[in-house]
Amino acid sequence: MPRRATLYEELSVGTRLAIRTLIPPPQQREPLRWNNFHRAFVYFIPFLFMAYLVRRAHTYPIRLLLLPTLITSTIYSTYHFRVDDPSCVMLDWLRCMMAYYIISKSLNFGLTPGGRFKIGEKRLLDISETEHQPRGGKQSLLPTWLADALEVTFVVRGFGWDFGKGVHAPPDSRSMERRTFLQATALSFFKNVFITDLSDSLLKLVPGVGSVKGGSIFKPELPTYPRYTLSTTIHIAGGTMVVCGLEACYDLATLIAVGLLGHSPPNWPPLFGGPWRATSLRELWGESWHQLLRHMFLIYGGYPGYWLGGRAGMVFGAFLASGVFHALALNIHDHRVILFFVMQAVGILAEVAWVRVTGRRVGGVVGWLWKSFFVLVLGQMCVDAWAIGGFAGATLVPKRLSIVRQALFPVMRLVFQQPWQ
C-alpha cells in the first residue's frame, strides 16, 4: 500500500509548484517582443488604481484586497518573459528594478490604513468627491486624479510627502523660478548624457571586459601594480557611468514632472550631494548618495531588521535588502555583490561605535580614506561581478546615438591615427 504524503510534503510540493508558476525557469520564459511588450508591464494598470486609492479616504479594505493580486501579477508579468539579446541585458535590469519598486510601493500603499498625505494636507478626498483644481503648482496636462496617482508613485524620495520625512535633500544651486530651473536642468541632462556616453564607450574598449561575454576586471596576466591600476580605473569609470547615468535619468524625470505635470521645483532637488567629497560612510550613504531606493530598502529590510534588532538591525536589514536587490535585478549569481553592501553596514556601525567610544565623529582626511577604502577597494568585488556578467558590454547608449563613438572617437582616430573601435 503506497504511503500517503504528509501535510508538510503536500505543502512543500504545492509551494514549489506555485513558485514555478510565478517564476518559471529562464528557458521556459517567453521571448520579449514588440507584440507582447504590453503584457510584460500590464501590472502597472492595477498599480495605478492602487496609487489612486491611497490618495482617497476610506479605501483601506479595497487596498488590502487588491494587494495580493497586484504582487502576484507583477511577479508573473516580469518573470514570464526574457530578453534573448545579451546586449539588451539592461532592459531586463530595468524591468526587474521596476517590478521590485512597484511591489515595495504596493506593500506601502496597501498596508497604510490612513493613506498617503502631502505635507500640510489635513484630509483625503472620498472616492465620490471630484477635485477640479490641482493641489499645488501649475495646472497639469493630465487629469487631476491621474497626475496625483503618478506623483505619489514617482516622487521616489518623498519630498513634500509624509513618507519623505528624514530624507536628506542636497543643496540646490538652481533658481526656483520655473523657467530658469528647467533651463538649468536641461543643461545638466545633456552634460550627464555626454559623460555617461564617454564612460560607457571607454569601458567597451577594454579587452575581455567591454563585451557581452563578460570578463574579470582583474587581469592575471598583468603584473600586480598594472593589474590593480587597471581594475581601479575600470571601477572609477563604471562608478562615473552609474552616477551620471542616474543623474541623466533623474534630470529627464525632473523636466517631465516640473515642465509637464506641474510639480513644484523644490520637490525635485539634486540627486547626489557630491559622493566623492564625503568623509564618512554615514555621510556617503545617508546624504551624498542618491536616496531613490531608500524607502524601498527600508520596506524590504530596514523595518523588519528594526523589529528584530533595533537600529543596528535596521542598518543591516536595509543594506542586505540593497545587496539582494542589486543581485536579483541584475541576475548576478555572485555572493560578492551582497557581501559588498553588507560590508557597508559593518563600516557604518563601526563609525557609530567610534563616536560612542571617542565622542568624535568620523571625518577629515582619515574619514575620507576610510570611506574610499570601502568604496574604491571593496567596491571592486561588486564591479568585477558586474563585468563578468557582461554588463560592461551591454547596450547602454546605442551606438547610432553615441556622440562619443560617432563623432569623438573618429576625430581622435584621425588625430592620433589609432585604430579606435
Side-chain angles (χ1 to χ4, degrees):
M1 184 175 181
R3 183 180 67 89
R4 292 185 61 184
T6 64
L7 177 62
Y8 171 79
E9 291 172 336
E10 291 180 351
L11 290 174
S12 178
V13 172
T15 300
R16 287 198 299 269
L17 289 175
I19 292 174
R20 282 303 184 194
T21 300
L22 287 176
I23 309 176
Q27 63 274 15
Q28 296 180 12
R29 299 174 190 175
E30 185 178 345
L32 191 61
R33 301 284 188 266
W34 284 113
N35 61 353
N36 60 16
F37 196 82
H38 62 285
R39 289 165 49 202
F41 295 95
V42 69
Y43 60 84
F44 203 75
I45 296 175
F47 174 74
L48 272 181
F49 182 52
M50 174 75 86
Y52 164 77
L53 291 174
V54 83
R55 296 288 292 147
R56 293 296 182 269
H58 314 303
T59 60
Y60 185 48
I62 305 175
R63 286 183 273 123
L64 280 179
L65 291 172
L66 179 60
L67 184 60
T69 300
L70 182 49
I71 292 176
T72 54
S73 64
T74 302
I75 297 173
Y76 184 92
S77 296
T78 301
Y79 285 103
H80 267 254
F81 299 92
R82 69 175 189 270
V83 177
D84 287 334
D85 187 351
S87 67
C88 295
V89 68
M90 287 298 180
L91 177 58
D92 253 355
W93 171 71
L94 287 172
R95 290 197 311 117
C96 291
M97 183 184 71
M98 176 63 75
Y100 299 145
Y101 174 75
I102 292 298
I103 291 174
S104 70
K105 279 284 190 178
S106 301
L107 289 168
N108 181 258
F109 293 169
L111 300 177
T112 304
R116 281 304 177 193
F117 290 76
K118 290 184 178 180
I119 300 300
E121 284 184 335
K122 302 300 182 183
R123 62 178 290 270
L124 297 179
L125 297 177
D126 288 318
I127 292 181
S128 59
E129 294 182 78
T130 302
E131 185 177 30
H132 299 286
Q133 299 296 329
R135 305 187 190 188
K138 72 172 188 176
Q139 180 68 46
S140 171
L141 297 178
L142 299 175
T144 302
W145 68 268
L146 179 56
D148 202 33
L150 289 174
E151 184 175 356
V152 75
T153 298
F154 291 115
V155 179
V156 183
R157 291 179 289 179
F159 294 123
W161 292 78
D162 56 357
F163 60 89
K165 294 178 180 179
V167 180
H168 176 76
D172 199 339
S173 60
R174 294 170 296 184
S175 168
M176 292 298 103
E177 192 277 321
R178 189 176 298 274
R179 181 175 181 180
T180 307
F181 178 87
L182 291 173
Q183 289 173 345
T185 304
L187 182 62
S188 174
F189 170 73
F190 289 113
K191 179 199 71 174
N192 284 312
V193 166
F194 176 76
I195 297 176
T196 302
D197 185 12
L198 178 61
S199 302
D200 180 46
S201 300
L202 290 174
L203 283 174
K204 285 179 169 52
L205 295 177
V206 182
V209 172
S211 70
V212 293
K213 295 181 179 179
S216 175
I217 65 175
F218 304 108
K219 301 299 178 184
E221 65 272 15
L222 295 177
T224 301
Y225 180 76
R227 181 192 312 157
Y228 291 107
T229 299
L230 176 63
S231 67
T232 303
T233 302
I234 294 172
H235 179 50
I236 293 173
T240 301
M241 183 180 69
V242 169
V243 170
C244 291
L246 286 173
E247 285 192 326
C249 294
Y250 182 76
D251 287 338
L252 181 60
T254 302
L255 291 171
I256 295 173
V258 177
L260 297 180
L261 301 182
H263 293 191
S264 177
N267 286 342
W268 289 83
L271 188 59
F272 290 91
W276 54 89
R277 295 193 301 264
T279 56
S280 70
L281 286 174
R282 291 185 69 182
E283 181 184 353
L284 171 67
W285 296 114
E287 299 179 8
S288 300
W289 198 252
H290 74 81
Q291 303 296 301
L292 291 177
L293 305 179
R294 175 182 183 271
H295 200 221
M296 181 174 76
F297 295 149
L298 287 175
I299 292 171
Y300 282 141
Y303 296 142
Y306 183 79
W307 296 331
L308 294 174
R311 295 189 65 84
M314 173 179 278
V315 174
F316 265 107
F319 277 99
L320 177 61
S322 178
V324 172
F325 165 80
H326 283 85
L328 290 179
L330 295 172
N331 196 26
I332 296 176
H333 305 286
D334 193 321
H335 69 278
R336 293 178 299 171
V337 176
I338 299 177
L339 177 62
F340 166 72
F341 286 97
V342 170
M343 288 302 297
Q344 307 306 304
V346 173
I348 289 176
L349 293 177
E351 292 181 359
V352 173
W354 172 263
V355 172
R356 290 178 178 174
V357 171
T358 66
R360 293 179 297 169
R361 294 177 64 90
V362 176
V365 175
V366 174
W368 186 87
L369 293 173
W370 163 265
K371 178 263 308 191
S372 298
F373 170 78
F374 276 83
V375 176
L376 294 180
V377 178
L378 298 183
Q380 293 192 31
M381 70 173 79
C382 194
V383 172
D384 189 47
W386 165 65
I388 291 174
F391 287 92
T395 299
L396 183 62
V397 179
K399 189 173 182 179
R400 289 181 296 179
L401 302 178
S402 171
I403 297 175
V404 173
R405 279 173 280 176
Q406 293 294 333
L408 182 59
F409 281 1
V411 170
M412 294 179 68
R413 183 172 63 246
L414 290 175
V415 172
F416 297 104
Q417 294 296 309
Q418 293 293 330
W420 297 78
Q421 300 297 321

